[in-house]
Amino acid sequence: MKIGFIGLGNMGLPMALNLLKAGHQVLGFDLVKTQLDAFAAAGGLVAPDAATAAKDVEVLISMLPASKHVEGLYLGQTGLLASTNSNTLLIDCSTISPKVAQAVAAKARAAGFAMIDAPVSGGTAGAQAGTLTFIVGGDAKAVERARPLLGAMGKNIFHAGASGAGQTVKVCNNMLLGIQMLGTSEALRLGIANGMDPKVLSDIMAKSSGRNWALELYNPCPGVMENAPASKGYAGGFGVDLMLKDLGLAAENADALDANIPLGKLAQALYAAHSKAGNGQLDFSSVFHLKKVN
Ligand code: NAD
């Protein structure tokens, strides 16, 4: 297949490389030159701009930071909906507001496009290994069209419901993840303050009722897990500011629907304090080092 891929960052680059490995022709674009160079070095074709990456491709995938980037890419006079062939299937894998995903997909539909929201879970390790979970919202026919391609980048593909449903599930999941990482960090800090070896503590809790994904697969304490961002200076991975963005989406969504999420809002405040202290670009598990608040 001929595929356009826009946004070759921590997630997009390894995802696009897996499409190349599966034998597809991939035309990539990013605003950052180092990302384009890495893509070209691995055999990808680099487009000079987004419109060229989207021209005459069967499928266009976007993997951008936030809602405003996705709106900017697709909408408006210079947006891709105005310049791309409507036979192209549009797949947005970014994590954005469910409302914005619904609005962009509705405008795409009105312009004759099929579009799905397909945010992912599984982190940069999952993106590299091609084992991501895709949580998809949109029309069943479009989801089936996308399925073989998503299968080249992921292991689990869930059709959550209509347009925006993928983003709703993703926002709920990431709010839980953000809370879980804070709780895991607190338990580890308390054990360490008591003189416990964090590895021994982690091994025991991982086989007890406190077990969870952050503890078992993404341990926030340096040295416990060789491949976790915590053991690599919290570089790469899933940034504090991206987690903060997702908690903001959860808070905005909850306020609009009068849903009660006190822990989600507390988590938002704690990641905000951690980001303000200069850690926004570090992996979110660096919240293990959150300075004492109050
Ligand atoms: P990133 O910041 O590393 O990458 C985003 C890329 O998009 C950057 O390289 C940036 O230059 C590029 N970009 C921005 N605007 C652009 C435009 N108009 N045209 C072309 N390129 C543009 O972010 P990431 O970690 O790859 O995350 C991407 C999305 O995936 C986010 O919505 C994030 O919440 C979500 N996500 C990330 C992870 C993770 O572990 N990093 C996991 C699941 C979901």
Side-chain angles (χ1 to χ4, degrees), residues 6-12 29-32 35 63-65 69 94-95 120 123-124 170 237-238 242 245-246:
I6 298 179
L8 300 166
N10 287 332
M11 295 294 287
F29 177 67
D30 195 287
L31 298 175
V32 175
Q35 299 306 111
M63 190 48 161
L64 302 177
H69 306 94
S94 330
T95 302
V120 303
T124 48
K170 174 70 184 166
F238 181 51
L242 285 179
K245 173 201 70 167
D246 292 355

Side-chain angles (χ1 to χ4, degrees), residues 31 65 89 109 171 223-224:
L31 298 175
L89 170 65
R109 244 190 332 271
V171 164
V224 171

Side-chain angles (χ1 to χ4, degrees), residues 267-293:
Q268 184 187 20
L270 295 175
Y271 283 100
H274 188 54
S275 172
K276 208 170 161 203
N279 304 303
Q281 299 306 310
L282 296 182
D283 181 77
F284 81 115
S285 62
S286 63
V287 82
F288 175 74
H289 299 286
L290 180 71
K291 293 269 176 298
K292 207 166 180 179
V293 268

Side-chain angles (χ1 to χ4, degrees), residues 44 70 84 90 107 113 131 162 213 248 262-263 267 273 275-276:
V70 174
T84 308
L90 307 177
K107 290 202 170 133
F113 290 88
T131 57
W213 187 90
L263 281 179
S275 172
K276 208 170 161 203

Side-chain angles (χ1 to χ4, degrees), residues 16-277:
L17 295 183
N18 279 331
L19 292 174
L20 280 180
K21 269 189 224 146
H24 299 290
Q25 188 187 336
V26 189
L27 202 54
F29 177 67
D30 195 287
L31 298 175
V32 175
K33 187 171 178 309
T34 48
Q35 299 306 111
L36 292 175
D37 291 346
F39 184 58
L45 297 170
V46 166
D49 51 45
T52 310
K55 197 168 171 357
D56 298 329
V57 292
E58 290 163 80
V59 178
L60 180 74
I61 301 176
S62 48
M63 190 48 161
L64 302 177
S67 300
K68 64 176 183 198
H69 306 94
V70 174
E71 289 177 310
L73 181 69
Y74 289 103
L75 306 184
Q77 275 183 343
T78 54
L80 292 184
L81 293 186
S83 63
T84 308
N85 183 331
S86 64
N87 290 329
T88 300
L89 170 65
L90 307 177
I91 307 179
D92 180 43
C93 294
S94 330
T95 302
I96 63 169
S97 145
K99 251 181 151 176
V100 171
Q102 282 163 1
V104 175
K107 290 202 170 133
R109 244 190 332 271
F113 290 88
M115 180 169 198
I116 59 173
D117 46 299
V120 303
S121 179
T124 48
Q128 280 153 19
T131 57
L132 290 171
T133 292
F134 285 90
I135 312 168
V136 187
D139 170 69
K141 254 201 209 149
V143 177
E144 288 321 304
R145 239 175 109 191
R147 202 175 275 279
L149 210 56
L150 301 182
M153 300 180 282
K155 201 166 65 171
N156 299 302
I157 301 157
F158 293 108
H159 186 191
S163 247
Q167 299 295 355
T168 298
V169 175
K170 174 70 184 166
V171 164
C172 294
N173 180 74
N174 275 27
M175 181 180 78
L176 179 57
L177 173 65
I179 293 168
Q180 215 181 54
M181 186 57 84
L182 281 165
T184 299
S185 295
E186 271 190 29
L188 289 171
R189 284 199 301 265
L190 182 61
I192 293 166
N194 278 279
M196 282 300 303
D197 176 337
K199 170 124 185 47
V200 172
L201 178 62
S202 296
D203 287 348
I204 297 171
M205 291 197 294
K207 294 280 180 285
S208 306
S209 47
R211 68 179 293 203
N212 68 76
W213 187 90
L215 178 74
E216 292 177 80
L217 295 171
Y218 212 94
N219 199 293
C221 178
V224 171
M225 220 164 257
E226 203 184 319
N227 288 322
S231 299
K232 300 175 185 169
Y234 299 100
F238 181 51
V240 169
D241 284 346
L242 285 179
M243 172 53 83
L244 196 50
K245 173 201 70 167
D246 292 355
L247 290 165
L249 292 176
E252 177 191 294
N253 191 266
D255 286 346
L257 300 170
D258 202 21
N260 186 23
I261 58 156
L263 281 179
K265 289 194 174 176
L266 179 57
Q268 184 187 20
L270 295 175
Y271 283 100
H274 188 54
S275 172
K276 208 170 161 203

